[in-house]
Amino acid sequence: MAHIAHDPHARPDGKTTMELGAVLPLTAEVRHDHLFIGGVDTVELAQEFGTALYVMDEEHIRVQLRNYLEWTRYHWRDVDVVYAGKAFICKAMCRLVEEEGCYLDVSSGGELAIALAAGFPAQRILAHGNNKTIRELTECISFGVGRIVVDSLEELARIDRLALEQGTTQPILIRVTPGIVADTHEYIQTGAEDSKFGFGLRDGLAMEAVREAIALNGIDFKGLHMHIGSQIFALNSYAKAIEVIVHFMEEVRAKTGCVVAELDTGGGLGIAYGVPDEPATIKQYGKVIVDDIKEHCEQHALPVPRILVEPGRSIVANAGVTLYTVGTIKHIPGVRTYVAVDGGMTDNIRTALYDAHYEPTIANKAARPRDTVVTIAGKHCESGDVIAVDTPLQHTEDGDVLCVFATGAYCQSMASNYNKQVRPGVVFVRDDTARLVVRRETYEDLMRCDVE
Ligand code: LLP
């Protein structure tokens, strides 16, 4: 985004913070003009912990996990919820996921190390990745990771060899690309045939992988996995993909005699970043996933498998906000007003990368209407370093605490040290209490890996 076009139609929306509806964390409220989350004053959090700062509403995360458990198991008892750690992971998050009785998906050795350090049971971990290294595979097998989701024939052979070397068999799922193009940003579509992920159906590779998996002694073939993309609003994308994959389950039984015992339908449920966004609810999602699997299994006279779902964003995105302190405010007559904050693309790359939309408020003026239009810029050396373009905001002054909503997913986890910015800390808030779960980096951290 080299040039940010001015939107001549941008208007103040006059909305106050609480009018941002589903974009907000569950426990958000306004008291005496200040934004509170989890009963804690965010303006005080900014003072105590410094900015930029990620704040996560613990209650919101727990409620989302419970909603997934409830609304999937409502339709079929044998469902497990696997939280996708790539959306946001740290030791405290892993513990919370475990406490709520969910599983965890990791997509690298680093995520696995964090989960294990948090005491997360390896049996309840699924390992993902289109190019897991030998070291990562070895770690998964030796720590007893519950499922490795296999992405290529080479990987299947590697797992077989490593498992046999360790005198064990490794339970796996085969990742299938159902050929469905989900209605979302093309960078986060993953189920199409031209994808670096998984085995295609039409080219016969998925069947070949299943046959191999059944034949290999070091492999315990448990079932199939698919993931069609992220930030998906249209539930019929899932319905189409389920139809395709259950049909494939039937083909597997016909050609190999093997009944697929588990089906993981991936993650991807969208969330509200802006007021007009109306994503499907977890209840609606649960019904489509489970009912459609049941219906198609019935049609093919297949037993209903154990079902796994892998939500990431819809668990944590709206639970999280980022707090910044406003610095320079630059009015360019006839062009726009830039409000610059003490963070930017290093703590939230999503606007620069996907043109993502964010809703901000001034945390210390939260009861006032958003009656101006500004562009929120970061402090980094790129003109594409913006968080929100032509967004409504309260009248803003130097020193105000700016809160950006819906930053709980894929912001901290995609943060960088560009310009040698220290990455923000993470605070969990709940029941009028704040606890620091990840501290802000220090300058020393920035040099920790320099060996001379
Ligand atoms: N399972 C697999 C195999 C995945 O690859 C993903 C996300 C998920 C589950 C969780 O999907 P979710 O429920 O969070 O949509 N950085 C992008 C999103 C990339 C998603 C990658 N895979 C963003 O900021 O929008």
Side-chain angles (χ1 to χ4, degrees):
M1 198 200 298
H3 174 70
I4 306 161
H6 178 63
D7 176 358
H9 304 296
R11 299 250 185 287
D13 63 359
K15 284 187 168 38
T16 60
T17 305
M18 295 314 290
E19 286 169 331
L20 299 178
V23 178
L24 305 175
L26 266 185
T27 67
E29 56 182 323
V30 173
R31 296 187 205 161
H32 322 295
D33 219 7
H34 280 198
L35 171 68
F36 280 62
I37 303 173
V40 180
D41 186 344
T42 57
V43 181
E44 282 175 17
L45 286 176
Q47 276 156 9
E48 182 178 349
F49 297 103
T51 53
L53 180 70
Y54 299 109
V55 179
M56 306 286 289
D57 180 355
E58 197 177 324
E59 186 62 23
H60 187 120
I61 300 174
R62 289 182 188 273
V63 166
Q64 293 302 85
L65 291 169
R66 285 173 205 169
N67 274 334
Y68 266 101
L69 288 169
E70 180 173 348
W71 293 117
T72 51
R73 290 182 179 168
Y74 185 80
H75 302 276
W76 176 239
R77 63 195 139 68
D78 200 5
V79 185
D80 276 301
V81 175
V82 187
Y83 168 67
K86 67 201 70 152
F88 168 73
I89 193 170
C90 63
K91 289 197 281 180
M93 182 65 197
C94 294
R95 293 194 190 104
L96 197 157
V97 170
E98 201 212 337
E99 280 165 25
E100 294 299 331
C102 294
Y103 285 57
L104 182 69
D105 124 13
V106 299
S107 47
S108 70
E111 288 184 0
L112 177 62
I114 292 174
L116 294 174
F120 200 93
Q123 265 305 311
R124 282 171 44 189
I125 297 177
L126 270 83
H128 276 292
N130 69 308
N131 185 24
K132 303 172 198 78
T133 63
I134 295 288
R135 176 179 168 182
E136 287 170 330
L137 291 173
T138 306
E139 286 167 356
C140 286
I141 296 165
S142 58
F143 288 117
V145 157
R147 300 282 180 275
I148 297 179
V149 182
V150 177
D151 210 277
S152 66
L153 288 171
E154 293 89 329
E155 184 175 275
L156 195 58
R158 285 181 201 127
I159 297 170
D160 178 56
R161 178 172 56 79
L162 293 167
L164 291 176
E165 275 169 21
Q166 294 191 31
T168 183
T169 52
Q170 175 61 44
I172 62 123
L173 301 177
I174 297 282
R175 179 164 178 169
V176 170
T177 318
I180 301 297
V181 180
D183 178 22
T184 186
H185 195 292
E186 66 173 311
Y187 288 6
I188 46 182
Q189 286 169 347
T190 40
E193 268 177 15
D194 179 4
S195 167
K196 70 170 181 168
F197 301 104
F199 295 92
L201 287 179
R202 214 177 299 162
D203 49 21
L205 280 174
M207 185 59 79
E208 192 182 336
V210 171
R211 282 187 197 281
E212 280 281 316
I214 295 170
L216 292 169
N217 289 330
I219 299 286
D220 176 8
F221 171 67
K222 292 286 188 193
L224 304 176
H225 173 280
M226 65 177 189
H227 172 74
I228 57 173
S230 200
Q231 184 59 358
I232 295 169
F233 277 43
L235 291 181
N236 70 339
S237 301
Y238 290 103
K240 282 192 246 165
I242 286 169
E243 187 178 347
V244 170
I245 205 161
V246 176
H247 182 78
F248 179 63
M249 283 164 60
E250 159 56 18
E251 224 183 296
V252 167
R253 183 178 61 181
K255 292 198 176 145
T256 69
C258 171
V259 173
V260 172
E262 292 181 9
L263 177 57
D264 183 332
T265 55
L269 180 61
I271 64 115
Y273 281 101
V275 180
D277 293 345
E278 283 184 18
T281 63
I282 293 172
K283 186 175 172 182
Q284 292 164 333
Y285 167 88
K287 185 166 164 51
V288 167
I289 297 287
V290 180
D291 278 3
D292 278 46
I293 292 176
K294 278 164 71 178
E295 189 190 312
H296 291 294
C297 283
E298 208 166 286
Q299 279 169 12
H300 293 287
L302 286 167
V304 180
R306 172 186 184 218
I307 299 171
L308 302 169
V309 292
E310 274 174 3
R313 187 190 316 266
S314 51
I315 303 293
V316 286
N318 296 110
V321 306
T322 312
L323 301 179
Y324 303 97
T325 302
V326 171
T328 302
I329 300 175
K330 198 170 279 181
H331 300 283
I332 309 177
V335 182
R336 71 176 76 239
T337 298
Y338 281 102
V339 169
V341 294
D342 52 354
M345 65 191 296
T346 49
D347 57 75
N348 184 352
I349 188 74
R350 298 195 68 264
T351 307
L353 201 53
Y354 316 115
D355 257 333
H357 172 94
Y358 284 97
E359 296 287 346
T361 198
I362 298 294
N364 51 302
K365 298 173 180 168
R368 300 183 215 176
R370 302 195 305 172
D371 52 9
T372 68
V373 169
V374 302
T375 288
I376 297 169
K379 67 191 289 286
H380 304 297
C381 306
E382 308 245 350
S383 38
D385 174 28
V386 291
I387 302 289
V389 181
D390 292 333
T391 180
L393 193 66
Q394 294 91 335
H395 172 72
T396 303
E397 295 149 292
D398 181 7
D400 280 343
V401 177
L402 183 101
C403 172
V404 177
F405 291 107
T407 60
Y410 303 111
C411 287
Q412 194 254 8
S413 63
M414 292 172 81
S416 78
N417 289 122
Y418 181 45
N419 289 161
K420 288 296 163 262
Q421 173 85 347
V422 293
R423 282 173 296 185
V426 182
V427 169
F428 276 18
V429 288
R430 190 192 195 193
D431 294 338
D432 306 337
T433 311
R435 61 187 173 109
L436 185 69
V437 298
V438 179
R439 69 160 170 80
R440 167 188 312 288
E441 286 178 332
T442 61
Y443 291 157
E444 289 69 41
D445 290 326
L446 297 175
M447 294 172 253
R448 207 173 33 201
C449 303
D450 290 18
V451 290
E452 7 179 300

